[in-house]
Amino acid sequence: MARQGSRGGAESKKMSSELFTLTYGALVTQLCKDYENDEDVNKQLDKMGYNIGVRLVEDFLARSNVGRCHDFRETADVIAKVAFKMYLGITPSITNWSPAGDEFSLILENNPLVDFVELPDSHSSLIYSNLLCGVLRGALEMVQMAVDVKFVQDTLKGDGVTEIRMKFIRRIEDNLPVGEE
Amino acid sequence: MSPSQWDFPVELCCRPMAFVTLTGLDVVYNAVHRAVWDAFCANRRADRVPISFKVLPGDHEYPKCRTKRTSYEWYIPKGILKTGWMNKHLNLVPALVVVFYELDWDEPQWKEKQSECATRVEIVRQSLQGRNTKVAVVLIQKKTPLPPGEDVIASERAAALCNACDLSGKSLFVLPHTDHLVGYIIRLENAFYEHAQTYYYTEIRRVKSHKEYLNKTTHQLLFVRHQFKIAFFSELKQDTQNALKNYRTAYNLVHELRAHETNMLEIKTMAGFINYKICRLCFQHNTPLDAIAQFRKHIDLCKKKIGSAELAFEHAAWMSKQFQAFGDLFDEAIKLGLTAIQTQNPGFYYQQAAYYAQERKQLANMLCNHEPATIYPNPDPLETQTGVLDFYGQRPWRQGILSFDLNDPEKEKLGILALQLKEKKVPHSELTITLLSNAVAQFKKYKCPRMKSHLMVQMGEEYYYAKDYTKALKLLDYVLCDYRSEGWWTLLTSILITALKCAYLMAQIKDYITYSLELLGRASTLKEDQKSRIEKNLIKVLMNENPDPEPDCDPVSVKAAQKLWADRVSLSGSNIFTIEVQEFVPFVQCKAKFISPSFHIDSPVQFDIFVKADCPHPIRFSKLCVSFNNQEYNQYCVMEEVYQKSETLESSIQETLCLIPGKTKKFTFKFVAKTEDVGKKIEITSVDLLLGNETGRCVILNWHGGGGDAASAQEALLAARSFKRRPKLPDNEVHWDSLTVQASTMIISRVPNISVQLSHEPPALTNEMYCLIVTIQSHEKTVAKDVKLTAGLKPGQDANLTQKTHVTLNGAEMCDDSYPALLTDIPVGDLQPDEKLEKTIYIHCGTVGTRMFLVYVSYLVSATIEGKEILCKCHRDETVTIETVFPFDVTAKFVSTKFEHLDKVFADIPFLLMTDILSASPWALTIVTSQLQLSPSMAPVDQLESYVENVVLQTGESASECFCLRCPPVTTGQGGVATGCYVITWKRTSAVKSTLVVNTVITLPHVIVESIPLHVNADLPSFGRVRESLPVKYHLQNKTNLVQDVEVSVEPSDAFMFSGLKQIRLRILPGTEQEMLYNFYPLMAGYQPLPSLNINLLRFPLFTNQMLRRFIPTHIFVKPQGRQPDDASIAAA
Amino acid sequence: MESRRVHWLPEITRAEVRAKEEKGERPPLSKMAVCIAVIAKENYPLYIKSVPTENELKFHYTVHTSLDVVDEKISAMGKALVDQRELYLGLLYPTEDYKVYGYVTNSKVKFVMVVDSSNTALRDNEIRSMFRKLHNSYTDVMCNPFYNPGDQIQSRAFDNIVTSMMVQVC
């Protein structure tokens, strides 16, 4: 599946992190303005992320040159060490494996999406970075993995770290239409 | 204000000048003496020596000199500086006493006079026993003295007089009482000044000499005193550098004194005096930074030296004085040319002085809070025997006591009580306000508007404490707008609170309401409960009841205020107040919005007024009305609700005119615009909201334009940037922030219900009467009255077009320049519903080009809106762009009779004019006729008649004509001759019969005419036949006035044999003609070259055979020898 | 201010840089201001905090009046300031009890800091670095997508920075 392409990883384009962060911030605040409540915004962010994920995975596989993962642990490693590094410049740590090995946490010490962000009290139920969950879900779905992704800790809410919990649900058979569960 | 204990003595603040007394002058009765004294006093400007003169009688008793102390060993000083000392040396003990005496050198009774003078000197000396004061004698003389050395008697007598008076020669002066009095006086006073300087020098030496007897333990005070004296004498001596140096030393010494509660005041007083002197001298030496540094040091050293806690207000008073005095010095220096800056100007010192004055008041309020029954002690502990203190800064009840222990605590208590009771009477606020006002003036000067406002607030507050509420309110009201415009709401609120108190205490209803309105508004930072209290009071006032007093007001003032309010309640009338709210931030906000930027006259104008209250409780208003630039509409936009007087303003939430806090209320208004306002702007000029009742008390909140207040512009900007989610509201509610003001709308005419169609066949052709058919059809339901048509060139285009475009309704007549370019308001009559009407407009365009034409139809129709019938003026306009083109391209050319192109023609020799008409019109054109109008210099060879009559030309087709002309020889050798004009008469083929034909005139080109000496033409048949004789006759015409020798030859040709003269030389007379006859005999069939005729003119070598060929044929068609039947067919061809 | 272009991939984030700065170079005497204010371009207050023991209103006035000097400094040496990119205005004016310092951003937002006059330990360099830190924190506030430029600053992060610079009165 991996493809050697002109998108070789070495000379990735750079952009200002402020611009990136502000762009994401503008997106979230506009959603906040447009939707009735924070739950709807969270859903919308997840949906957008999903749409990014299903596309981004193609780019990721082409660039990263990683092969098929043999188990969920390997997937976790690839996500944390390759994917996060490549797209967000950070390497979250992987912890809290469930005994069954189907659930783990990504611990982000530093979430670049939330630089400068301070949540107002009126948005206490907003999951600001929920886009990331959608991205992960969408990307994995394209490689036949149905997962459940959610934030369980968030520095914006006063937690010490940001924690994304990922749970493997099932393998998607190739003949099933994607995205319809 | 009378000088207080804290003011510096005048003798400290003045500039010390040498003190000289003048005796022996009778300035009252003796005119000469008077003149002398005046000369001393008048014009004492900076260029005169600094002396202070005083006239005293000769036997004046000067202050006695105490016997000189030989030892200080047992001497214990009682204080630092005697209160009388400075004055003594400024005004009482002279440096020099001058004895004036009238005595001339030639005085007959010299002896007697000399001894009298000596006596006078002696009296003065007696009085000055023990002092170093100098004595001088001035002889007032009637005669002008001779130059020195010439008057022997004078020298002798002067020496004798000096001897008699025990004077040195330097102390005897002569003052001739003559014309140059002032000059003599100036010389005299310079001499006096020298004497005075010597005196003060010796005084300094004297004081310095005491130093060695002093010891550090018992004579600490004397160190300061002596140092001060040295400095002061130096000042009198005008030696300011040394004065400054000595004052600085004195200043350091005064702080070395052992300080205790009992002598603190004395130390601070002296420190203050010396500091003042130092700063003053620093400014005088133009070293303001030194002055400032000294002052800072002084303040830092003394700030904490409070002294007796019970008299702490004294320290504040003293501090205040220090700052004020420095401010004065600084300000004075500026007046003398010093430049101050924004951050270092006297204002800061006055401000600080004011702060200390305020502190003094607070301390006084705290410390002097005695029972009203407390009696001022008797005897007055502040009284002294002499009425003054012996030493500066000491307590009157224990003067000269140096012990730090209080030997009489009872006396001390009474003294303090007396001081406290006195302090109570001090007008503290008045002092503070004066200082603040000084500071305001300074900060205004140094571009500190905010500092100025801040100080004015403090002044206002001080007036408030002083119960001068009118002044307080005036100041506070003045600065409110500064804080409001910059959006400092905390400060604004704080000022408003004080202002409201003032308004309450004076029962100023309008002010009270105004401040309440703003304190309830969104700019106010008050807590909800305070707002609630204010709103309740406001409602009370509007209900014509007494409001509750504002908190923390002076109880006495409140009592007075309550009476005032009660009086106001009983008074009826003049209880309507209009408050223009756009200048502040009231608790009711208003936005007016026309629902559309324009309205058709036949639809009602609609707008909404949005109102929102920010106060804590619902509030009802009685009336809402809107004013417009056209006041006619005002009557339709009033909303009113009558309610019972007994009802309160709060209760009825469900009513229409009740504002619920935070909720936006919408009022929709509708009216029918006046027909005369069509095309005009309707503007809301103001919105009025009435709170209260017109019969009781009533406030009209008046918004200029469509609402908005002092804060709304900035709010609108922030709202536009906001990301904040706007929660969903019920359908009939709106978000205040999302509303924008739209205070004006345009009234536009009713939409026309007629159609205007134009039919025409573009492009227009130059000069034709272009036909534009306008079809107007009414789709109105009722009759369209007074239909008027305006048609023609649309105004506003190139002015040249207006000259060359003419419009008419009459197609039967060709337009000329008198016709207009635009026909206006052609009455067409009425149009019934669905009636159609056609009007033909003829347009005459004199030039080619693009033109815009306007067809504008107006009419009146009545319409009913909102049950009202109005007559609407409607109009529809159409514009059409029409191109005008030339109907044809006409070319004209000259050719020879042999159809060869000519650039010039030969006189008298016929030539051809060929015209070619090429149709450029997309429409078929019929050429009715054409006509050649020749100029006089041209003549037709035969009848000129049109060959193109009734020819129809389609696009691109052309018609040609040919005219044979001749041109007589021209005498003058000009460039060419005019040919004439070619007139084409034409019309569109499609045009109806009645259509006017158009004459298009084409000016033909000029042609150059040349004369030729010999003209040759040939007579010959049109063809020949093989082997049949062909007779040819050449005519040779001499066109000159000369006899011409002509050589003629004929060259043989292969195709012909010929007979006739092969070569001849002949002579032709002027104007005559010679014929040459030949018989050619064709040998071959076909188009054959004729034997060529060569002519050579001896007189005109330029006449060539080339030229000749133009006139005579060179070839001829030769038929073969034929069979008879063929002949006929050939002849037919 | 040098334009900060922190690139996305290989470099550490701005927040980290900031965190390092704060840990390392915090001057020991920096907790010395008695009032800190941020004033909008239009001269209304965006943020004012003063030590709780003192009369808050007084500091409002102090800050407000200091704008006279700020205005004057900006207009007097406006051109020079722009050229040198010097944002620190220095001591605005001394009062008997306080020293007032000013700083103006290129967007004409002003920072005003009031320091107790008795505090002679605080030198110009320290004041300057305190302002720079405030400016950085203010820039972060502006970058918070939930903050509307022009609104009152309610950021906890900014508030913490300010509190860390103020005198802790026990």
Side-chain angles (χ1 to χ4, degrees), chain C residues 13-32:
Chain C
T13 66
R14 233 179 81 171
E16 280 176 274
V17 174
R18 195 68 46 71
K20 281 187 180 172
E21 264 177 20
E22 273 155 35
K23 268 178 222 154
E25 59 159 83
R26 174 177 296 172
L29 284 170
S30 68
K31 296 181 172 187
M32 286 301 182

Side-chain angles (χ1 to χ4, degrees), chain B residues 255-273:
Chain B
H255 280 293
E256 280 172 22
L257 293 176
R258 269 218 297 156
H260 187 264
E261 208 176 287
T262 51
N263 73 341
M264 192 70 93
L265 183 63
E266 186 175 7
I267 290 175
K268 278 194 306 192
T269 304
M270 279 317 291
F273 283 7

Side-chain angles (χ1 to χ4, degrees), chain B residues 296 299 323 342-343 352 447-451 454 457 483 486-488 490-491 494-495 714 718 721-723, chain C residues 39 43-45 48 57 60-61 63-65 67-69 71-72 92-94 96 145-146 148-151:
Chain B
R296 283 250 57 84
I299 291 303
F323 277 98
Q342 190 192 36
T343 52
Q352 204 57 42
K447 285 194 236 164
C448 300
R450 294 178 189 86
M451 184 63 100
H454 176 36
V457 170
Y483 291 98
E486 286 202 323
W488 285 70
T490 317
L491 301 181
S494 144
I495 300 164
Q714 175 74 6
L718 290 184
R721 280 188 202 153
S722 176
F723 77 93
Chain C
I39 312 297
N43 280 341
Y44 64 89
I48 294 195
L57 201 62
H60 274 77
Y61 276 117
V63 171
H64 184 245
T65 48
L67 295 179
D68 284 338
V69 189
D71 276 3
E72 191 66 13
L92 298 180
Y93 69 89
E96 210 39 37
F146 290 101
N148 289 326
D151 276 0

